[in-house]
Amino acid sequence: MAMTKKKPAAKPILSGKPKRALRPYHHGDLRASLIAATEAIILERGVNGFTLREAARRAGVSPAAPAHHFGDATGLLSEVATLGFKDFGAALRAADEAGGDPGERLYRQGIAYVKFALDNPARFLLMFREARLDPTHEGLAEAGRDSFLTLENAIRALMGLPNEGELTPEAYGALMAGWSIVHGFAHLALAGEFDAAAGARGGQGAILESFLPLALRYLPHPDATRASAKK
Amino acid sequence: MAMTKKKPAAKPILSGKPKRALRPYHHGDLRASLIAATEAIILERGVNGFTLREAARRAGVSPAAPAHHFGDATGLLSEVATLGFKDFGAALRAADEAGGDPGERLYRQGIAYVKFALDNPARFLLMFREARLDPTHEGLAEAGRDSFLTLENAIRALMGLPNEGELTPEAYGALMAGWSIVHGFAHLALAGEFDAAAGARGGQGAILESFLPLALRYLPHPDATRASAKK
DNA sequence: TGTACATCAGTGAACGCGCGTTCACTGATGTAC
DNA sequence: TGTACATCAGTGAACGCGCGTTCACTGATGTAC
């Protein structure tokens, strides 16, 4: 009986990698897990509800682990914002490439802009919450700039300008007006300012399906230069 | 400055209330001091930089004192937001009452809307930061609603509708478009999105003086209903 | 094909911090009689 | 006019909390030879 010492309930006879299956020392894809956790947290609790510790907790990892991948909280949020801008830019580009005359391209981008914000509220708000982002983050500024280039180019086409060179003051005005209207609409919708009206007129779907098209009639278009109210 | 208070020498021989002057037990106007401190804090550090303890510190009072006046942090912020909305509403009303046809009234309100945001960035952002506000706060919702009534009435006048009764879908569209454009412009300007362009064209003053009027050409006006891009 | 070793990606305990809030208390004020 | 007393507006010490970050460490992996 030298070496028997039987453990009654028996370990798996030979399950391949029992130990690793139970608790691997390395996570495997911590980077992606932390990003997913962060997106979930800001969706549930808002951007301010995010903490690095909570993200680590959800990824099943110690509080010091995220530093290896993102440095600090700002670094992780900046990465999430960067990915958001990339999706955002892709959505605008897809809308633009759906074709049509410049007015239609701009209109479609406006729809896409607001739709992205309403479909991705937490990411959208994070993308513009500078205080929580690292301005030196690799790729963030560029992803942001890229998104708006599609918008700018549609305005240039609308005003008969090439994609390079200075914008005329009129074109600047049109760009700012177009950007402001979709950005403002998105923020007001996310703040719930249209909820009461939508409730009375067909539910929340009315915001995208009915209100937005009505509001986007006021997007810049070639013959919209306003004479009145301009001193 | 009327009374040049010369205090060269030691203590006043008998200044009435020496002890109170040194350290009165009661603050005197703690409520107002806390509000002023809060506005200063959010201006310096952003809405998220606000803490109740810091406000108490600046008002020269123990950390438990503010509770007597505002309950908790949310209560104090809500009061600041309410006062902000009152000033904001007054600014819109003043712009409206400067007269002119409905298009001019709306234009002037648009200028006033953005000017308020740029002149009071911290208060403006707080006013729309629901997460830090108490929805049950006395007067907050009402002050908010009041502000926008002036805007709504200008749109009604523009569309030839009375101040009471349902808005037509077209009027809703115009209201949302007008609100969105000024709200979006204010947010983008505060986020610094126009800074580069302004730097190249006459400094930050260009935003209000030059860019905003150009963008506000696209505010709704009677004959602006858009035919194109409307399927 | 093995083996030594550098590097990487994690642990988990500990740190100091500032926060909001509670607590028993106290000084000042206003009011009823 | 005086006085008792309730109420109000503060104090300041203490509480527990969760946070970000540091630290010495360890297990796993990849690579040079």
Side-chain angles (χ1 to χ4, degrees), chain A residues 18-200:
Chain A
K19 213 165 187 184
R20 189 195 300 175
L22 286 177
R23 195 173 199 291
Y25 193 88
H26 287 99
H27 179 284
D29 200 3
L30 182 53
R31 186 182 174 82
S33 290
L34 286 170
I35 287 172
T38 300
E39 292 184 332
I41 292 167
I42 63 179
L43 188 59
E44 287 169 29
R45 312 190 182 174
V47 174
N48 288 334
F50 167 83
T51 67
L52 203 48
R53 283 184 102 104
E54 175 67 13
R57 227 173 275 134
R58 294 197 185 196
V61 112
S62 82
H68 288 289
H69 295 272
F70 300 101
D72 58 11
T74 290
L76 175 48
L77 287 175
S78 298
E79 186 60 29
V80 170
T82 303
L83 295 172
F85 269 123
K86 283 180 179 168
D87 285 356
F88 184 51
L92 294 181
R93 238 170 287 123
D96 187 62
E97 287 163 4
D101 63 41
E104 273 171 33
R105 285 167 52 202
L106 183 62
Y107 176 84
R108 274 199 245 274
Q109 282 188 53
I111 299 281
Y113 194 111
V114 176
K115 188 169 181 349
F116 180 90
L118 300 192
D119 287 347
N120 304 270
R123 293 162 94 201
F124 182 78
L125 293 175
L126 172 64
M127 284 153 57
F128 291 94
R129 188 73 67 81
E130 336 145 67
R132 304 298 309 260
L133 302 177
D134 171 13
T136 71
H137 179 90
E138 170 102 18
L140 175 57
E142 191 191 342
R145 237 178 291 114
D146 271 10
S147 303
F148 302 115
L149 263 185
T150 319
L151 198 60
E152 179 177 328
N153 287 342
I155 294 281
R156 284 175 180 270
L158 195 73
M159 309 298 274
L161 298 173
N163 278 358
E164 305 288 328
E166 275 216 359
L167 285 169
T168 61
E170 288 70 28
Y172 254 109
L175 175 57
M176 291 178 185
W179 192 2
S180 293
I181 196 171
V182 292
H183 196 72
F185 192 100
H187 269 87
L188 291 171
L190 288 178
E193 301 288 355
F194 302 152
D195 288 354

Side-chain angles (χ1 to χ4, degrees), chain B residues 92-136:
Chain B
L92 293 181
R93 238 170 288 123
D96 187 62
E97 287 163 3
D101 63 40
E104 274 172 31
R105 285 167 52 201
L106 183 63
Y107 177 84
R108 274 198 246 272
Q109 281 188 54
I111 299 282
Y113 194 111
V114 176
K115 189 170 181 348
F116 180 91
L118 300 193
D119 287 347
N120 304 269
R123 292 163 93 202
F124 182 78
L125 293 175
L126 171 63
M127 283 154 56
F128 291 94
R129 188 72 68 80
E130 335 145 68
R132 302 299 308 260
L133 302 178
D134 171 12
T136 71

Side-chain angles (χ1 to χ4, degrees), chain B residues 10-49:
Chain B
K11 289 176 145 187
I13 304 176
L14 192 121
S15 77
K17 329 158 180 174
K19 211 165 187 185
R20 190 196 297 175
L22 287 176
R23 194 172 202 293
Y25 192 89
H26 287 99
H27 179 284
D29 200 3
L30 182 52
R31 187 183 174 81
S33 289
L34 286 171
I35 288 171
T38 299
E39 293 183 332
I41 292 166
I42 63 179
L43 188 58
E44 288 169 29
R45 311 189 183 174
V47 174
N48 288 334

Side-chain angles (χ1 to χ4, degrees), chain B residues 150-210:
Chain B
T150 319
L151 198 60
E152 180 177 327
N153 287 342
I155 294 281
R156 284 176 180 269
L158 195 73
M159 310 298 274
L161 298 174
N163 278 358
E164 305 288 328
E166 274 216 1
L167 285 170
T168 60
E170 287 70 28
Y172 254 111
L175 175 57
M176 290 178 185
W179 191 3
S180 293
I181 197 170
V182 292
H183 195 74
F185 192 100
H187 269 87
L188 291 171
L190 288 178
E193 301 288 356
F194 302 151
D195 288 355
R201 293 160 179 258
Q204 294 309 303
I207 292 178
L208 266 180
E209 289 156 25
S210 160

